Amino acid sequence: MISVKLLKIENVEPVEVDNLDEFIQGLNNVLGHPIETINKVDPNFDGYYLLPMGFTIPEDENGSVKENINEKVFLLSVINSNIPRILKECRPAGLTNWALFFRAGTAVIGKTEVIDKVSTREEDQNIWYEDLGYDQYMPIMQDGTYETVAKSILSYLQAYDEYINKFV
């Protein structure tokens, strides 16, 4: 299994991430241990970071949010209107939209090449954010539990990890 840490950037409190504690508990249940929380990306960490966003934008805290988002960071609960800009400017590993904490939704927005490997697309189905190299899929049907959400995110990150390690 891949390694994950929770990234909470110092002096940045994500707004409208109401059920974060419930998600963390569900994630801990899936991992079998408490997730480590850190406040800055470590370039030597061989895993992925989960960063709660809500209404947070890359410019917050004098740009410290943006400097902590890269291909090793998966964003949690991004407000829909911010998604295209964040994908374009920050190029994260992937993200979930605001429904993650609103109703324990499980849709994942991730790299199109990875989603093509883990999901089947119907012929008439559009690729979301195609011009940015990202798409959306529902890895595990929603059941209203944060354990299912955690499994969805971790399964995507596992496939993403295998994909990027092929090209390293």
Side-chain angles (χ1 to χ4, degrees):
M1 179 179 266
I2 57 166
S3 297
V4 293
K5 293 182 180 183
L6 186 66
L7 177 59
K8 287 188 169 180
I9 300 169
E10 198 171 8
N11 300 321
V12 176
E13 192 61 41
V15 178
E16 296 298 320
V17 184
D18 300 334
N19 296 328
L20 181 58
D21 291 339
E22 288 90 340
F23 170 74
I24 292 170
Q25 184 58 53
L27 180 62
N28 290 343
N29 291 344
V30 170
L31 293 173
H33 60 82
I35 188 167
E36 182 182 350
T37 301
I38 54 120
N39 62 13
K40 189 171 174 116
V41 169
D42 175 1
N44 298 317
F45 175 57
D46 188 28
Y48 297 92
Y49 298 98
L50 304 176
L51 174 61
M53 290 289 286
F55 281 99
T56 305
I57 58 173
E59 295 80 25
D60 284 351
E61 197 56 35
N62 295 320
S64 68
V65 173
K66 187 173 185 174
E67 71 186 34
N68 277 283
I69 300 174
N70 59 41
E71 69 282 347
K72 299 293 253 171
V73 179
F74 187 94
L75 307 175
L76 302 172
S77 199
V78 176
I79 300 304
N80 290 353
S81 60
N82 289 343
I83 291 173
R85 189 174 74 113
I86 287 173
L87 293 176
K88 183 178 181 179
E89 291 178 16
C90 303
R91 311 299 294 169
L95 59 87
T96 62
N97 71 3
W98 66 278
L100 170 65
F101 294 117
F102 170 65
R103 65 171 184 267
T106 58
V108 169
I109 297 170
K111 300 283 186 177
T112 304
E113 297 88 351
V114 177
I115 291 175
D116 286 346
K117 299 222 180 294
V118 296
S119 176
T120 54
R121 186 184 329 280
E122 299 298 322
E123 200 171 301
D124 62 339
Q125 207 172 8
N126 291 333
I127 297 176
W128 291 50
Y129 314 106
E130 182 174 16
D131 56 329
L132 300 172
Y134 289 82
D135 195 6
Q136 174 175 297
Y137 81 119
M138 187 84 66
I140 300 172
M141 292 312 291
Q142 176 175 313
D143 67 0
T145 68
Y146 286 106
E147 284 83 359
T148 297
V149 173
K151 287 176 189 175
S152 296
I153 293 168
L154 293 173
S155 70
Y156 167 79
L157 285 174
Q158 183 67 49
Y160 176 80
D161 188 66
E162 291 166 9
Y163 171 78
I164 63 169
N165 284 323
K166 261 181 145 173
F167 298 105
V168 173

